[in-house]
Amino acid sequence: MGFTTPCFIYKNTLEIQGKLKILGYVEHPMMMNVDTSSQFLICNRGFFAGFPLGYKEEINNAIDCGTNEGLFLSIAALRDDTDNNQMFINGKGDWGIYRDGSDGGLSGIDFYGMPNDLNVDNYHKATVEELIEHYKKEEI
């Protein structure tokens, strides 16, 4: 299958596009590659595209990430065929990103700070709702 959750952000930069490519997205053939603040960027079905804000009605089923890049990239990373680059939580407030080692690095969870619980079996892939709540707390 692959990517599971369409989402968009009210930013369109080459840096964000590059991060989406690392996650496995490809540029949609109809991409309007304009790097301005009057653009938004949407991810869906393995493609990303940027369109003028007037096209927002086209993305009614996508999650609106506002301007929060962390939230956008975390939701965009959600897949049903791998855990790589996805955020995990243990329910005790400990977060990490799973790496499968495909980039030559080590595999396992890269923790944020020192976790209270090092037992990886206690972690689960974060849901969209958990990601939204996590990034909402970060903005405060």
Side-chain angles (χ1 to χ4, degrees):
M1 294 283 297
F3 295 102
T4 62
T5 311
C7 57
F8 67 95
I9 187 169
Y10 288 97
K11 291 183 183 180
N12 182 7
T13 66
L14 295 176
E15 179 183 356
I16 296 173
Q17 291 178 25
K19 290 177 181 179
L20 290 172
K21 289 176 182 177
I22 290 170
L23 292 175
Y25 283 91
V26 294
E27 191 173 316
H28 192 279
M30 299 298 290
M31 177 73 172
M32 295 178 193
N33 193 2
V34 179
D35 185 13
T36 70
S37 61
S38 65
Q39 294 284 310
F40 71 87
L41 197 57
I42 183 170
C43 292
N44 194 8
R45 299 185 199 140
F47 292 100
F48 68 88
F51 293 98
L53 293 177
Y55 286 87
K56 187 176 178 215
E57 65 273 5
E58 299 291 323
I59 56 174
N60 286 335
N61 295 324
I63 303 220
D64 181 348
C65 297
T67 59
N68 190 319
E69 289 180 39
L71 176 61
F72 174 70
L73 292 169
S74 295
I75 292 175
L78 293 174
R79 299 179 68 127
D80 59 8
D81 59 353
T82 182
D83 292 334
N84 194 36
N85 295 315
Q86 294 175 66
M87 293 187 67
F88 277 69
I89 184 172
N90 67 355
K92 298 178 183 178
D94 297 326
W95 287 83
I97 297 178
Y98 182 79
R99 308 288 186 201
D100 68 4
S102 62
D103 63 356
L106 297 174
S107 63
I109 295 179
D110 286 340
F111 295 103
Y112 293 166
M114 178 53 84
N116 298 316
D117 181 3
L118 290 170
N119 185 351
V120 176
D121 292 336
N122 292 337
Y123 284 76
H124 67 273
K125 190 183 302 188
T127 65
V128 171
E129 294 77 17
E130 289 171 325
L131 292 168
I132 290 170
E133 196 60 34
H134 174 67
Y135 283 99
K136 190 184 301 181
K137 288 178 186 173
E138 273 192 3
E139 289 178 346
I140 296 175

